[in-house]
Amino acid sequence: MTETIQQSQIKYSPNSLCDQVGRVFFWNGRVFREINKTAEQEVRDLLSSELFEILTAKHYIPETKIADCKIEGKDTLILEHERIQPSSPSDWSFSMLKDAAIFLLKLNSLLKKHGYNLWDGHLANVCFYHNHPMLVDFGSIASQSRGSWFDGEFIRTCCYPLILFTENERFLAKTILSARPQRTLPLQTINKSELIKKCFKRFFGHIHLRYWLRNSQKLERKLLQSQFLQKHIHEKFLEKTMWQNYQDDLFDNIEKGNVSNKYQRYEKIKNFIQVYCSDATSVTDLAGNRGGMCYYLEHHMPQLQNLVSIDYDETAIEVSYNYFKNHDTKLNLILGNFMVPIRSDFAQGFRSDVAIAMAVTHHLILTQGFHISAIFEAIKSFSKKYVFIEFMPLGLWGGGEKNQWFLNGTRWSGFSNLLSNILHCFIPNNWKKTKYYL
């Protein structure tokens, strides 16, 4: 039976603004695409092609089918897409960015063999599925007769940031990645930046292609070769961080079913979720380091369909991603600071039934000086139903002679009772249950 979708019930994607094929919208928690009449035949041809079978089988695109529904008052073709955990290039570590760029090049090469190409060349059309890049913009697959923006856009929005990383200009690279891809910019385009030009020349000088420096077009053509990016784009200056090795001993032990006492609190959280959150199907771990908590829960709670681990230690995310992409896991790794995210919709994109904050609140209070109310408001924004917070009453005590911490003259060891009272001020009335591990 064909369902009818009321126009008032549709929520259009804010990222689907100028797609020639059609516009993405959400309805009842599902993802659809309304196809323009002018593109309908091309879409039907693609859906019935051998190329579409290959793309689906290799998980290069989300599962896609013609939907058995229509929009009220319209006679347009509607596609339904598998829902994939969204993320943005600013949420990824260096290796994720590099893998996503190489994926786009290889995908474009595959499409060309079948008479198609990618219309767009930016990373905003990519998300990660089981720690492998996937094209989530079906409308970017275009017949070659329609042309393409791919080459120039790919160089500006993918290769320039990767070159900046390689030349240790991380801040500028992150700034470019956090901006929405634009084909025109007021006053100055990316490729006219003097700093980028200098980094561009320095990069090719480092790999001994100085004799080509006068011909930038030849150099740019090399950036469209996946083998060239694989060989010459490297993160050379990623510094070691305090917490990058924090979970080194965990992952192999989880797979062997042998977890040390250091991680027994993961077992407690698992038990709490089973008892108090039996209807939960998704988890977001805030300040999750290398994703150990989510990886543990995935192995012991198959009912959890979506797991997100967020941390702002890029080295930890980088190491963990390179581990997970060679293992069968659906865990989503996200690089970001949940207290001060780089984009306004960060929390909305990673909300889950259960939000967990393990061993982080005392750091935020003692080391970074965040207001307690601000911390709870941030944690709450990632939760649909439940929150678990681990609070360490001895604060930053390292196990030496001092075993009490003081804050503004108040003994820290008695703080957890006060914390419990404050927590209840931030519990929404519509939450079914909330359990705190203090």
Side-chain angles (χ1 to χ4, degrees):
M1 181 178 177
T2 302
E3 296 181 275
T4 299
I5 304 173
Q6 303 296 322
Q7 187 74 43
S8 60
Q9 298 175 327
I10 288 175
K11 181 180 179 181
Y12 284 103
S13 169
N15 299 317
S16 183
L17 301 175
C18 52
D19 195 324
Q20 293 186 1
V21 172
R23 196 169 183 192
V24 174
F25 67 90
F26 307 106
W27 178 67
N28 283 354
R30 295 154 66 188
V31 183
F32 298 90
R33 185 183 301 267
E34 180 185 1
I35 304 301
N36 298 333
K37 279 290 186 182
T38 55
E40 183 174 323
Q41 189 56 53
E42 182 178 329
V43 169
R44 291 185 182 277
D45 290 343
L46 175 58
L47 292 175
S48 60
S49 69
E50 179 187 8
L51 171 63
F52 179 74
E53 294 180 3
I54 295 172
L55 296 176
T56 303
K58 290 181 175 291
H59 299 292
Y60 286 171
I61 61 172
E63 291 185 12
T64 299
K65 62 182 181 181
I66 296 176
D68 189 17
C69 60
K70 65 178 183 179
I71 299 175
E72 183 184 28
K74 292 186 177 183
D75 184 25
T76 53
L77 177 66
I78 306 294
L79 301 184
E80 181 171 5
H81 301 297
E82 175 188 8
R83 195 177 187 103
I84 303 298
Q85 171 62 58
S87 62
S88 297
S90 58
D91 305 329
W92 306 339
S93 72
F94 173 80
S95 288
M96 296 171 80
L97 291 165
K98 179 179 176 179
D99 286 353
I102 292 173
F103 165 74
L104 284 181
L105 288 176
K106 291 183 176 180
L107 176 61
N108 199 38
S109 178
L110 171 64
L111 296 179
K112 287 181 177 180
K113 293 177 181 179
H114 292 266
Y116 292 83
N117 53 212
L118 287 172
W119 175 263
D120 304 297
H122 56 74
L123 292 173
N125 285 341
V126 177
C127 287
F128 279 81
Y129 175 81
H130 293 193
N131 293 285
H132 294 282
M134 168 184 278
L135 181 78
V136 292
D137 185 10
F138 183 85
S140 186
I141 303 174
S143 63
Q144 291 180 8
S145 60
R146 276 209 283 134
S148 172
W149 290 86
F150 183 83
D151 289 1
E153 195 167 58
F154 179 82
I155 290 169
R156 290 192 303 273
T157 64
C158 298
C159 296
Y160 283 175
L162 288 172
I163 289 174
L164 290 170
F165 273 110
T166 304
E167 294 301 313
N168 203 24
E169 291 289 349
R170 303 179 60 78
F171 178 79
L172 183 54
K174 286 288 186 181
T175 301
I176 294 174
L177 290 168
S178 63
R180 286 184 178 271
Q182 298 182 45
R183 298 190 179 101
T184 59
L185 294 172
L187 301 180
Q188 184 185 51
T189 55
I190 294 173
N191 55 311
K192 290 184 179 180
S193 163
E194 289 301 318
L195 178 56
I196 291 180
K197 287 180 181 178
K198 290 179 181 178
C199 289
F200 187 85
K201 290 182 179 181
R202 195 165 65 224
F203 168 75
F204 280 100
H206 286 168
I207 59 176
H208 309 297
L209 288 176
R210 293 183 180 88
Y211 63 94
W212 268 6
L213 289 179
R214 292 184 180 181
N215 192 331
S216 60
Q217 290 185 344
K218 284 187 177 181
L219 295 179
E220 288 188 341
R221 297 302 300 177
K222 281 196 165 292
L223 296 173
L224 296 171
Q225 302 171 14
S226 59
Q227 300 92 331
F228 182 86
L229 294 189
Q230 187 68 57
K231 181 178 180 180
H232 295 294
I233 296 291
H234 300 290
E235 176 53 273
K236 302 174 183 176
F237 301 97
L238 196 61
E239 297 179 357
K240 292 185 177 180
T241 55
M242 181 183 297
W243 300 103
Q244 71 180 61
N245 300 320
Y246 181 62
Q247 295 177 346
D248 272 355
D249 57 341
L250 177 63
F251 299 104
D252 287 339
N253 286 334
I254 287 178
E255 293 176 4
K256 295 174 182 176
N258 178 28
V259 181
S260 66
N261 291 333
K262 177 181 176 183
Y263 301 105
Q264 284 305 308
R265 66 193 198 281
Y266 292 0
E267 178 68 15
K268 291 184 178 180
I269 293 295
K270 182 203 78 172
N271 293 336
F272 285 152
I273 294 176
Q274 288 175 333
V275 172
Y276 297 103
C277 320
S278 58
D279 60 334
T281 60
S282 57
V283 167
T284 295
D285 187 14
L286 303 171
N289 196 254
R290 288 170 56 182
M293 161 67 80
C294 286
Y295 198 50
Y296 183 85
L297 294 178
E298 181 183 12
H299 276 69
H300 293 85
M301 302 187 70
Q303 69 269 32
L304 296 177
Q305 299 302 308
N306 196 54
L307 302 101
V308 177
S309 184
I310 301 172
D311 202 276
Y312 75 178
D313 186 326
E314 183 167 357
T315 309
I317 296 293
E318 176 79 352
V319 172
S320 194
Y321 167 72
N322 284 308
Y323 176 88
F324 283 141
K325 70 181 183 181
N326 296 314
H327 292 74
D328 184 19
T329 175
K330 56 192 173 187
L331 167 60
N332 300 282
L333 291 167
I334 300 298
L335 175 65
N337 187 332
F338 77 90
M339 287 301 301
V340 282
I342 197 169
R343 50 193 175 84
S344 59
D345 60 346
F346 185 81
Q348 182 64 30
F350 303 117
R351 289 182 72 221
S352 294
D353 293 336
V354 181
I356 302 173
M358 301 286 285
V360 65
T361 51
H362 62 289
H363 288 292
L364 296 174
I365 296 169
L366 291 174
T367 306
Q368 301 188 31
F370 282 103
H371 291 292
I372 298 173
S373 58
I375 296 171
F376 295 147
E377 287 166 1
I379 294 172
K380 184 181 73 173
S381 69
F382 287 88
S383 173
K384 297 177 182 178
K385 297 179 181 179
Y386 311 101
V387 166
F388 290 88
I389 299 175
E390 178 186 46
F391 186 76
M392 304 177 73
L394 296 184
L396 302 177
W397 178 48
E401 292 184 3
K402 287 187 177 182
N403 59 2
Q404 305 287 348
W405 275 92
F406 294 80
L407 183 65
N408 296 332
T410 303
R411 255 171 68 159
W412 193 259
S413 60
F415 192 68
S416 53
N417 289 333
L418 173 62
L419 181 68
S420 297
N421 292 329
I422 295 174
L423 282 168
H424 290 286
C425 298
F426 295 92
I427 303 174
N429 293 330
N430 61 343
W431 285 9
K432 297 178 181 178
K433 296 187 180 78
T434 305
K435 182 69 177 179
Y436 300 97
Y437 174 47
L438 301 176

